[in-house]
Amino acid sequence: MDYLDKLESQSVYVLREAFNRIEKLAMLWSLGKDSNVMIWLARKAFFGHVPFPTMHIDTGKKFPEMYAFRDRYAKEWNLNFIREVCPPIEETDASLPPAARSAARKTLGLRAAIAKHGFTGIIAGIRRDEEAVRAKERYFSPRGDAGQWDFRDQPPEFWDHFNTDLPPGTHLRVHPLLHWTEIDIWRYTEREKIPCVPLYFARDGKRYRSLGDADITSPFNSTATTIPEIIAELEATRTPERAGRAMDRETEDAFERLRADGYM
């Protein structure tokens, strides 16, 4: 197997373990490049069919191109699609800085969706290389009854043995892309010809590397209009992937607070 085959194989193994061992499972679909790869991997793992719901926790503030992509591929990929809306910003923690407080709506939306549907496992497309706090995650990460995450007390995962025995009222977050990097995602997307939102490609000298809400996400200067050009650009840059996310430029502990409270 080549490098991408090995990445794929590990992710497929994690997805199959999750499906086999978690009673009620759902996959989060943020509509971005990572979660599109994750759906693609799930279709490979289960022979063209995703055997659990794919859920979009919708803030109502995504780019129009993202909603168009969602509506098209939820049908084309024959997904069991669930859309859950986020509560208003007034229900979030007022002590958070503005962009982080806006992002916290997704935490509350996810918490409500888990309670509504009774999910005991949530698959999310985070990667270790995205952000320092996410680097502390495990493939199978236990969460408290309200989604809280104790990043200082994570279970060991030796030789791909995952702990799925949890007390009642808790749930697991499953991270099948944890070992991937941004450039891995793009190389795999190119190889597999996975569709993605057109905002990732340069238009008028700018493109997006990470997609969030339209009011707290900014593009950066780029001329990359194809995936090979994106890959070449990433090989030469030292700019962080999430530099265009407003909440990543706020107080140092804002993202850590969000993650500890259950943010994706």
Side-chain angles (χ1 to χ4, degrees):
M1 294 190 295
D2 66 16
Y3 179 64
L4 292 178
D5 292 331
K6 290 176 181 177
L7 292 175
E8 178 189 82
S9 178
Q10 175 69 7
S11 296
V12 164
Y13 173 70
V14 171
L15 287 166
R16 287 174 174 168
E17 283 289 287
F19 181 66
N20 183 52
R21 298 170 66 176
I22 298 175
E23 182 179 357
K24 196 163 184 183
L25 196 60
M27 176 178 282
L28 294 178
W29 189 21
S30 71
L31 319 177
K33 62 186 186 303
D34 302 306
S35 60
N36 292 336
V37 164
M38 194 166 60
I39 289 175
W40 195 266
L41 289 165
R43 294 172 76 216
K44 282 201 168 190
F46 302 103
F47 309 102
H49 170 64
V50 181
F52 33 73
T54 54
M55 182 166 61
H56 180 211
I57 306 299
D58 192 2
T59 62
K61 293 185 173 184
K62 299 300 182 186
F63 294 92
E65 293 91 340
M66 297 176 74
Y67 289 122
F69 183 93
R70 180 193 72 185
D71 295 345
R72 174 181 174 180
Y73 286 100
K75 293 178 181 177
E76 287 196 18
W77 289 339
N78 194 30
L79 302 177
N80 177 7
F81 174 69
I82 298 172
R83 173 182 174 267
E84 295 292 347
V85 299
C86 297
I89 197 167
E90 290 76 17
E91 294 186 23
T92 63
D93 183 353
S95 70
L96 287 167
R101 190 178 182 195
S102 181
R105 294 177 60 218
K106 290 192 287 186
T107 303
L108 299 182
L110 177 58
R111 190 177 300 166
I114 290 170
K116 175 181 176 180
H117 298 283
F119 294 127
T120 52
I122 294 292
I123 304 171
I126 69 165
R127 310 186 321 267
R128 286 194 183 104
D129 74 317
E130 285 182 277
E131 200 276 334
V133 177
R134 282 177 167 162
K136 301 174 184 177
E137 283 280 12
R138 299 292 189 266
Y139 286 107
F140 285 70
S141 179
R143 293 301 201 271
D145 56 358
Q148 310 97 325
W149 175 52
D150 185 355
F151 54 86
R152 298 180 182 87
D153 184 23
Q154 289 293 286
E157 292 183 333
F158 299 124
W159 305 291
D160 288 340
H161 288 284
F162 307 124
N163 177 27
T164 57
D165 296 323
L166 296 175
T170 61
H171 73 279
L172 281 166
R173 300 282 174 89
V174 182
H175 305 122
L177 299 182
L178 206 56
H179 54 297
W180 295 58
T181 66
E182 181 185 10
I183 202 165
D184 294 335
I185 292 291
W186 281 115
R187 286 172 175 154
Y188 189 76
T189 297
E190 180 186 31
R191 188 185 83 171
E192 300 289 310
K193 297 180 173 55
I194 302 172
C196 56
V197 177
L199 293 168
Y200 286 115
F201 302 101
R203 184 173 56 190
D204 300 325
K206 292 185 179 295
R207 75 173 188 89
Y208 292 85
R209 280 176 69 185
S210 179
L211 293 176
D213 286 354
D215 60 339
I216 56 174
T217 310
S218 302
F220 73 105
N221 294 332
S222 173
T223 59
T225 58
T226 66
I227 294 180
E229 289 175 352
I230 289 174
I231 292 170
E233 187 177 76
L234 293 178
E235 288 173 335
T237 187
R238 293 188 177 182
T239 304
E241 178 182 3
R242 294 177 60 91
R245 296 289 194 104
M247 69 177 181
D248 286 53
R249 301 192 300 271
E250 292 179 328
T251 58
E252 185 176 348
D253 69 337
F255 195 79
E256 186 173 284
R257 289 173 62 191
L258 284 173
R259 292 283 297 159
D261 198 38
Y263 184 75
M264 287 82 84

